[in-house]
Amino acid sequence: MASMEHPIFSLSTKPDTRVREYEHNGIKIAIKPSVDGLATVHDRDVLIYCISQLMTALNEGKEVSQVVRFRAFDMLVATNRNTAGSGYAQLKAALERLAGTRISTNIVTGGKEIFRTFGLIESAEVVRETRDGRMQEVEIKLSDWVFNAIRSKEVLTLHRDYFRLRKPLERRIYELARKHCGAQREWRISLALLQKKCGSNSTPREFRRLVMNIVREDREHDHMPDYAIAYDEQEDMVTFSNRQGVKIVLPPAVAPQLDPDVYETARMLAPGFDVHYLEREWRSWLPETPRNPEAAFLGFCRKWIQNRKNTG
């Protein structure tokens, strides 16, 4: 979630060796590249794949560790990448950039505020390689920061078609919509703030042109997953509207069984309603696994009643 909120990954398709600094609402981030350049939005696919493996294990009640091993071919297929020789070469380059990119931040994950410098991954190793040079198995050790967020389930699901977006800016814009719009009907943001959150180095005029191209293509082809995108020139605002047709590539949010005492409180909040029906509605709506399921369910009940008062 933190990497969706803040511009940690580069939008450039060429080696980006700039040191980037970002500050918003008290969060400060400095992203420092290696000689190979900053990790890119497309390199993030490797992290997404590792996170999906660990989240599946956690939801099944299994123990997980920072070390993740996977078949390179499986990762390339799952993230809609080329499985020819160039795909493996690109994966190796991505691993090098992920390991080389260093971050200094005070982002809070798992209830802890971390003030230190760390990498996105600590190390990567090709466990087995075929005779023609293609890697077969890859072993990655995730950084403490990433692993802490996974264990705390600070993770959002993504639409399968996210991996079909080829333009880095399209991916970044989708990530922001997924984080901020979520299950809401719509989310609005000024173009200037959108550029800041995207981490774009373009001029405001060029960034506006790029966004308007995405808006036009989405209007013609509905290619952006989950959210339609529109731009209001007069207000210089971008609006994301929920399409209400989510296909999930990462494990869906799963809340544990609720404490029996919470149902009495729910009946007081929603008199006349079947609280077990409300629970089913809440579980089907969940955009992410809540840290405090009881509090999240009661909050849903309050909003349920408030929405009916507003419409009735």
Side-chain angles (χ1 to χ4, degrees):
M1 287 170 61
S3 69
M4 294 172 81
E5 163 73 9
H6 307 292
I8 290 173
F9 297 91
S10 172
L11 299 177
S12 178
T13 55
K14 298 177 180 179
D16 187 348
T17 55
R18 296 174 299 129
V19 175
R20 299 168 57 189
E21 295 184 346
Y22 171 86
E23 182 174 355
H24 187 66
N25 290 340
I27 298 296
K28 298 178 182 179
I29 305 174
I31 306 111
K32 302 174 183 179
S34 67
V35 293
D36 298 308
L38 290 170
T40 70
V41 168
H42 287 286
D43 296 342
R44 189 170 181 267
D45 291 356
V46 180
L47 282 183
I48 293 172
Y49 187 76
C50 291
I51 290 169
S52 71
Q53 304 304 300
L54 294 182
M55 288 303 299
T56 297
L58 282 173
N59 288 334
E60 292 174 353
K62 297 177 181 177
E63 291 291 327
V64 296
S65 75
Q66 286 178 252
V67 177
V68 183
R69 180 181 287 202
F70 57 86
R71 291 178 65 229
F73 179 82
D74 294 341
M75 180 267 164
L76 294 175
V77 171
T79 56
N80 196 40
R81 285 171 170 251
N82 182 5
T83 55
S86 60
Y88 293 87
Q90 290 166 3
L91 177 53
K92 275 189 175 180
L95 294 173
E96 290 170 351
R97 286 189 294 267
L98 286 167
T101 298
R102 306 295 298 179
I103 300 171
S104 299
T105 183
N106 65 341
I107 290 177
V108 175
T109 61
K112 298 179 182 178
E113 190 172 35
I114 301 174
F115 292 93
R116 63 188 179 89
T117 299
F118 52 90
L120 294 165
I121 63 175
E122 293 300 324
S123 61
E125 180 180 346
V126 178
V127 179
R128 217 180 294 161
E129 223 175 283
T130 58
R131 290 182 180 177
D132 62 0
R134 298 184 189 183
M135 62 183 78
Q136 287 189 350
E137 291 187 3
V138 178
E139 187 172 278
I140 293 176
K141 183 177 181 182
L142 301 174
S143 71
D144 292 343
W145 178 65
V146 173
F147 188 63
N148 190 34
I150 294 169
R151 283 193 302 183
S152 301
K153 296 192 176 182
E154 296 172 0
V155 174
L156 288 177
T157 58
L158 297 175
H159 194 289
R160 187 179 304 279
D161 288 344
Y162 169 84
F163 297 112
R164 298 187 182 279
L165 298 176
R166 303 318 305 167
K167 296 177 183 178
L169 183 58
E170 288 180 333
R171 288 190 171 205
R172 182 67 190 132
I173 284 176
Y174 169 79
E175 292 167 8
L176 288 167
R178 181 68 187 91
K179 173 65 173 63
H180 291 283
C181 190
Q184 300 177 82
R185 188 173 62 85
E186 69 174 32
W187 172 61
R188 303 184 77 215
I189 183 173
S190 69
L191 192 70
L193 183 54
L194 180 65
Q195 180 170 5
K196 180 181 179 181
K197 283 181 170 289
C198 283
S200 172
N201 198 40
S202 301
T203 64
R205 181 177 180 180
E206 174 64 9
F207 184 75
R208 179 179 290 104
R209 186 188 69 81
L210 294 172
V211 170
M212 289 181 70
N213 284 343
I214 294 173
V215 169
R216 185 180 62 255
E217 291 173 10
D218 187 57
R219 188 169 57 240
E220 293 173 357
H221 306 293
D222 292 337
H223 76 300
M224 291 295 285
D226 290 340
Y227 309 97
I229 177 172
Y231 173 61
D232 186 322
E233 290 190 59
Q234 288 188 332
E235 296 187 12
D236 206 25
M237 298 285 290
V238 179
T239 301
F240 297 89
S241 303
N242 200 322
R243 296 188 196 274
Q244 305 295 332
V246 178
K247 298 175 184 175
I248 291 173
V249 63
L250 299 185
V254 177
Q257 186 174 0
L258 297 176
D259 189 307
D261 292 341
V262 79
Y263 296 110
E264 281 304 314
T265 307
R267 289 187 182 95
M268 294 172 62
L269 293 173
F273 283 88
D274 182 346
V275 293
H276 297 291
Y277 168 78
L278 293 180
E279 182 184 6
R280 289 193 296 273
E281 290 292 307
W282 170 67
R283 289 183 182 278
S284 65
W285 163 84
L286 273 179
E288 58 192 271
T289 301
R291 265 192 219 174
N292 186 327
E294 283 74 21
F297 173 58
L298 293 177
F300 176 87
C301 292
R302 291 188 188 95
K303 289 182 179 179
W304 178 277
I305 294 300
Q306 187 61 48
N307 288 341
R308 266 138 195 78
K309 286 180 180 178
N310 292 339
T311 57

